[in-house]
Amino acid sequence: MAHLLILIISSSIVSNVVLSQFLGLCPFLGVSKKTDTAIGMGAAVIFVITIASLVTALIYRFILTPLDLSYLQTIVFILIIAALVQFVEMFLKKMMPPLYESLGVFLPLITTNCAVLGVALNAVQYDYNILETVIYGFGTAVGFTIAIVILAGLREKMEFNDIPSSWQGMPIVLVTAGLMSIAFFGFSGII
């Protein structure tokens, strides 16, 4: 049990997928303008990464490895992730239209979010079992959500600040993300 707790803390805070591994930067920077949309994107990413971790672990362990087809893991994982994102997109369009509209083009970008694929490939590389893979995926997705919500909150506050014109827009966002990365680096001595 302690091992799983350490794994979830490590994957969400210490080795944050966005701030230390620099995976998933496109939705991180694109959807972090408002806290509401950041929370919605974070929830969608939590769902997709957790389910993708489970499904990819099962397929890798019970189909690809026994059939000696592990060299196909990247292609198979991409197909699984694309199917799951389509499912989430259909669900949000039907059940939560305002969130679907606010996420806009960034919802299909979860398919190309390298954090989702990175989690699946890292779990194989670290040789996690199925439970560890799901915990690792969930922790990583929670870490993504923490980072995107913090950045969205900071961006909402920065709207009311006097920022030089050359720093407005993406330059100040990238500097803020860099400072967040440095702040999260302080957690590296915990585990």
Side-chain angles (χ1 to χ4, degrees):
M1 186 65 179
H3 168 68
L4 296 178
L5 184 62
I6 289 172
L7 181 61
I8 201 166
I9 291 171
S10 172
S11 61
S12 63
I13 296 174
V14 177
S15 299
N16 189 290
V17 70
V18 176
L19 301 174
S20 68
Q21 298 176 20
F22 305 114
L23 296 175
L25 287 177
C26 183
F28 176 69
L29 297 173
V31 185
S32 60
K33 292 179 183 174
K34 301 254 182 245
T35 308
D36 296 340
T37 56
I39 291 170
M41 176 60 96
V45 167
I46 287 173
F47 178 77
V48 169
I49 288 182
T50 304
I51 299 300
S53 298
L54 174 66
V55 174
T56 55
L58 290 171
I59 288 176
Y60 182 79
R61 195 154 306 267
F62 296 117
I63 295 175
L64 296 179
T65 302
L67 295 176
D68 199 28
L69 297 173
S70 57
Y71 60 90
L72 293 175
Q73 69 186 5
T74 304
I75 295 169
V76 171
F77 291 176
I78 289 171
L79 292 173
I80 291 168
I81 291 164
L84 287 171
V85 170
Q86 289 300 313
F87 172 73
V88 169
E89 189 172 359
M90 289 185 307
F91 176 79
L92 288 178
K93 189 174 185 178
K94 179 83 170 165
M95 303 303 268
M96 301 176 191
L99 179 59
Y100 175 79
E101 292 296 324
S102 66
L103 290 174
V105 72
F106 294 103
L107 189 58
L109 283 178
I110 296 176
T111 304
T112 59
N113 184 347
C114 54
V116 182
L117 181 60
V119 168
L121 294 175
N122 281 344
V124 169
Q125 182 182 4
Y126 300 152
D127 198 30
Y128 287 151
N129 63 34
I130 294 171
L131 178 63
E132 289 172 333
T133 300
V134 173
I135 296 294
Y136 174 68
F138 177 75
T140 302
V142 168
F144 176 88
T145 303
I146 290 169
I148 197 170
V149 169
I150 289 173
L151 184 63
L154 291 171
R155 286 180 76 172
E156 284 180 353
K157 296 289 183 190
M158 284 190 294
E159 280 184 24
F160 303 109
N161 292 338
D162 242 354
I163 299 172
S165 61
S166 61
W167 284 91
Q168 290 177 0
M170 199 50 67
I172 195 68
V173 173
L174 291 172
V175 168
T176 304
L179 292 172
M180 285 176 57
S181 181
I182 292 170
F184 271 71
F185 184 70
F187 294 119
S188 63
I190 292 177
I191 297 175

